[in-house]
Amino acid sequence: MESTNSTITEYVPSVIILAPWVIWYVEGAALQIGPWFIGTCVELFLQGILMMQTADFFSYKDPRGQSKRFVWLVLVLNVLCLIKTAQNIKIVWATMIANYANPDVSLMLIGVDWSHYSAGLSTAIIAVYVQAFFIYRYYLLTERWYICVFMSLCTTVSLVAAVLVTYYMPKILHAKIRMWSLVHFVSAIVVDTLITSCTAWHLQRRKSAVQSTTELIDRLTRLVWQTALPPTICVIINAVVLESRPIELTHMTFNIILPKLYAISLLYTLNSRNDIRSEQESAGTTGYYITTDNQRGTMLSGSTNFTSGADVSSGGGVTSLKVGEDRQALSGFGFDKETDLELNRLEATKRVTFDFKQDLVPNRK
């Protein structure tokens, strides 16, 4: 069989002439495009966690129907998060695929494509949405409206700063973008710190001599810190990276995952409340009964749902201290107004000690 030698055309690479700033963009792709890709990958992972948390929330069956209060809160939050996820996917697609061979266009998308320059605003909207819930929760817990007003003002400043960043982004005014971005992050840090510290401090003041109350308060305090730390740390890192490396887009990795951390903190709070309610209902008890026998207190029965004041009664030679049932069982976080009124009554009795020699007559110190 006769063989023929085919001529192979020599490969000639394409010659693309890039402007100096585009060369900088292409050579630094790991710091200019990479953060969008990495942040979106992590954000998709967190979206899966958020969906599991949402499913857990709707699977809880509260016989009193109180969990229905937050259905719309959770639904709106999920819609906002899904829109944010779609926005991130669009940005990655436009940057890495649609304009793969056109770095000039890819570089300018930050100033001409709405999905790019509104990324910070969409993050701020979800953050403010979640912060508003926690401010409302703090108000129900303390009714200290002046602190809540200050928190709300800081939240408003944070949102307005994000709007201004979005406004200046298409104009490529770096100085103003950097300034208002810093205002936005600092305001968010102040709000998160105030909500967390004030809520934890107020809970600690609710501790009493009753062990179940102390255990419940400690559990709620840990919940406050566990839900607040991830988004707060992410905001701080975001601000530090932006201030130290303003030309790069490294901070966008943290900016992209931030709204999901906020959303997960809210869902985790609601689901933890439901878990506490389930534990209380499965305990099947209405409170503690303490009796005296040879000047010693004996625990007869109890549950972790004590929040109300004490009612001392006696009969048949046995003195008992009955601790009332928490009827609302942590509404929202949590507490609602009625439960907090019971906690206020507890505040007046938390320094009471009992002298078993005098049949549990309270002696105030």
Side-chain angles (χ1 to χ4, degrees):
M1 188 173 183
E2 190 175 333
S3 62
T4 59
N5 294 328
S6 59
T7 305
I8 301 177
T9 304
E10 183 179 358
Y11 172 73
V12 179
S14 302
V15 178
I16 303 176
I17 301 176
L18 301 175
W21 59 86
V22 179
I23 295 176
W24 164 82
Y25 176 76
V26 172
E27 292 179 348
L31 299 176
Q32 304 301 324
I33 303 177
W36 292 103
F37 177 74
I38 296 174
T40 301
C41 290
V42 178
E43 194 259 3
L44 288 171
F45 174 77
L46 295 177
Q47 178 64 35
I49 296 177
L50 180 64
M51 295 178 68
M52 293 177 62
Q53 292 282 348
T54 302
D56 189 19
F57 173 80
F58 283 105
S59 66
Y60 174 73
K61 303 299 181 182
D62 187 355
R64 289 168 291 186
Q66 295 181 6
S67 63
K68 301 300 181 183
R69 296 171 53 195
F70 303 102
V71 167
W72 283 106
L73 176 78
V74 173
L75 288 177
V76 173
L77 179 63
N78 275 270
V79 170
L80 291 174
C81 289
L82 287 174
I83 293 175
K84 179 63 178 176
T85 299
Q87 181 186 32
N88 293 330
I89 294 175
K90 182 181 182 300
I91 291 173
V92 172
W93 180 273
T95 303
M96 303 183 65
I97 299 176
N99 295 286
Y100 171 76
N102 198 343
D104 293 85
V105 175
S106 180
L107 174 63
M108 297 304 298
L109 285 176
I110 193 69
V112 299
D113 183 29
W114 67 269
S115 61
H116 278 69
Y117 60 74
S118 64
L121 179 59
S122 58
T123 297
I125 290 174
I126 296 177
V128 169
Y129 184 81
V130 175
Q131 288 170 342
F133 166 77
F134 286 120
I135 293 174
Y136 171 73
R137 181 193 70 177
Y138 178 75
Y139 175 75
L140 293 180
L141 180 64
T142 67
E143 293 190 347
R144 294 176 178 173
W145 60 269
Y146 48 92
I147 297 180
C148 295
V149 168
F150 180 75
M151 293 178 182
S152 300
L153 288 175
C154 292
T155 302
T156 303
V157 171
S158 176
L159 183 60
V160 171
V163 172
L164 291 174
V165 170
T166 304
Y167 172 76
Y168 289 120
M169 193 71 74
K171 301 178 183 298
I172 317 295
L173 299 177
H174 294 288
K176 291 186 178 295
I177 292 172
R178 183 178 178 184
M179 179 186 69
W180 287 111
S181 295
L182 193 60
V183 172
H184 164 69
F185 290 129
V186 171
S187 300
I189 293 170
V190 171
V191 173
D192 291 338
T193 303
L194 281 176
I195 292 174
T196 305
S197 58
C198 290
T199 304
W201 179 76
H202 187 80
L203 284 173
Q204 289 301 306
R205 291 181 63 248
R206 299 294 187 175
K207 284 187 175 182
S208 73
V210 181
Q211 182 180 1
S212 64
T213 305
T214 300
E215 291 175 353
L216 179 59
I217 295 300
D218 288 339
R219 183 175 180 179
L220 294 175
T221 303
R222 288 193 299 270
L223 175 63
V224 170
W225 288 106
Q226 288 170 358
T227 55
L229 280 179
T232 303
I233 292 176
C234 187
V235 174
I236 293 174
I237 295 175
N238 201 346
V240 171
V241 174
L242 176 63
E243 187 65 18
S244 60
R245 310 171 80 93
I247 300 180
E248 301 172 2
L249 295 179
T250 309
H251 69 281
M252 288 306 303
T253 298
F254 305 98
N255 190 278
I256 291 172
I257 67 176
L258 181 59
K260 290 301 187 296
L261 295 179
Y262 274 115
I264 291 173
S265 70
L266 191 152
L267 262 298
Y268 184 77
T269 298
L270 295 179
N271 288 332
S272 296
R273 176 206 63 163
N274 293 338
D275 291 340
I276 294 174
R277 283 182 170 179
S278 298
E279 292 174 7
Q280 292 176 334
E281 291 164 3
S282 62
T285 57
T286 59
Y288 280 102
Y289 293 85
I290 304 176
T291 65
T292 58
D293 181 15
N294 296 328
Q295 302 178 5
R296 296 183 62 186
T298 305
M299 188 75 70
L300 295 183
S301 64
S303 67
T304 60
N305 58 4
F306 165 74
T307 57
S308 65
D311 179 22
V312 179
S313 60
S314 62
V318 178
T319 303
S320 64
L321 171 65
K322 180 179 179 180
V323 176
E325 181 182 12
D326 176 9
R327 296 188 301 274
Q328 297 300 323
L330 309 177
S331 173
F333 143 83
F335 302 97
D336 62 7
K337 186 174 182 179
E338 181 178 353
T339 305
D340 195 51
L341 291 177
E342 294 186 357
L343 283 174
N344 288 333
R345 291 196 295 270
L346 173 62
E347 184 72 16
T349 63
K350 72 176 185 177
R351 293 183 180 275
V352 175
T353 58
F354 297 96
D355 185 355
F356 292 115
K357 293 182 180 181
Q358 299 181 19
D359 295 331
L360 287 178
V361 176
N363 297 313
R364 297 186 180 274
K365 291 186 178 181

